[in-house]
Amino acid sequence: MSNRLLRGLMAGFTATLVISLILVLRLAAGIIPWYNPIEVMNLAAQDLLGTPDSRLLAWGIHFAVGTLIWGLLFALLVPYLPGRTPTRRGLEFGVASWLVVMLTVFPLAGSGLFGLGLGLVAPLSMLIAHLVFGAVIGAVYGWGRDVVQR
């Protein structure tokens, strides 16, 4: 069990890092600059937790959720997810995590269900990001089998 959890943490951190780099590059390139998921996380944290306006805190929450919550949850659920390969299971997990975010974080941030208050680009780009997240978490988790010894 501890091997699976360690692999989940490693995979969750890596997947969060990958989608974070894509986000930073997208914003730096000026692609859809009005839509910043970290700002959505910042607003949701302010509303839900009463935190101050802090993008640094939002980034910390983003990495904590991706690594600790999603990484550990993936490690616990991976044996029960459909698909034959860890990457396929990761893609399924990515879709499920996208649904959770669309039904919780966006409404808490005041953007409505599925973030439709921000337009159709928000849920579609988040689906792509969560598919990338899922593919990476699954692939790294599978790769970790050879790295993390029992």
Side-chain angles (χ1 to χ4, degrees), residues 13-55:
F13 177 80
T14 304
T16 303
L17 182 62
V18 168
I19 63 165
S20 298
L21 291 172
I22 292 169
L23 169 65
V24 168
L25 291 172
R26 177 182 62 80
L27 291 173
I31 300 169
I32 318 168
W34 52 266
Y35 172 60
N36 183 345
I38 297 302
E39 185 57 30
V40 172
M41 180 87 60
N42 182 25
L43 293 171
Q46 288 176 52
D47 288 349
L48 182 63
L49 305 172
T51 63
D53 181 14
S54 171
R55 285 189 180 86

Side-chain angles (χ1 to χ4, degrees), residues 70-85:
W70 293 126
L72 292 174
L73 191 60
F74 182 76
L76 293 171
L77 295 177
V78 73
Y80 310 104
L81 293 171
R84 288 188 221 176
T85 67

Side-chain angles (χ1 to χ4, degrees), residues 84-117:
R84 288 188 221 176
T85 67
T87 303
R88 174 58 191 239
R89 290 176 177 160
L91 287 168
E92 303 284 344
F93 186 79
V95 171
S97 65
W98 173 76
L99 282 170
V100 169
V101 170
M102 294 295 105
L103 297 172
T104 60
V105 175
F106 277 93
L108 288 170
S111 303
L113 281 175
F114 290 87
L116 290 172

Side-chain angles (χ1 to χ4, degrees), residues 104-146:
T104 60
V105 175
F106 277 93
L108 288 170
S111 303
L113 281 175
F114 290 87
L116 290 172
L118 298 171
L120 194 55
V121 170
L124 293 177
S125 66
M126 288 299 288
L127 176 59
I128 292 167
H130 280 83
L131 287 171
V132 170
F133 178 85
V136 173
I137 202 171
V140 172
Y141 182 86
W143 170 79
R145 188 175 328 142
D146 298 329

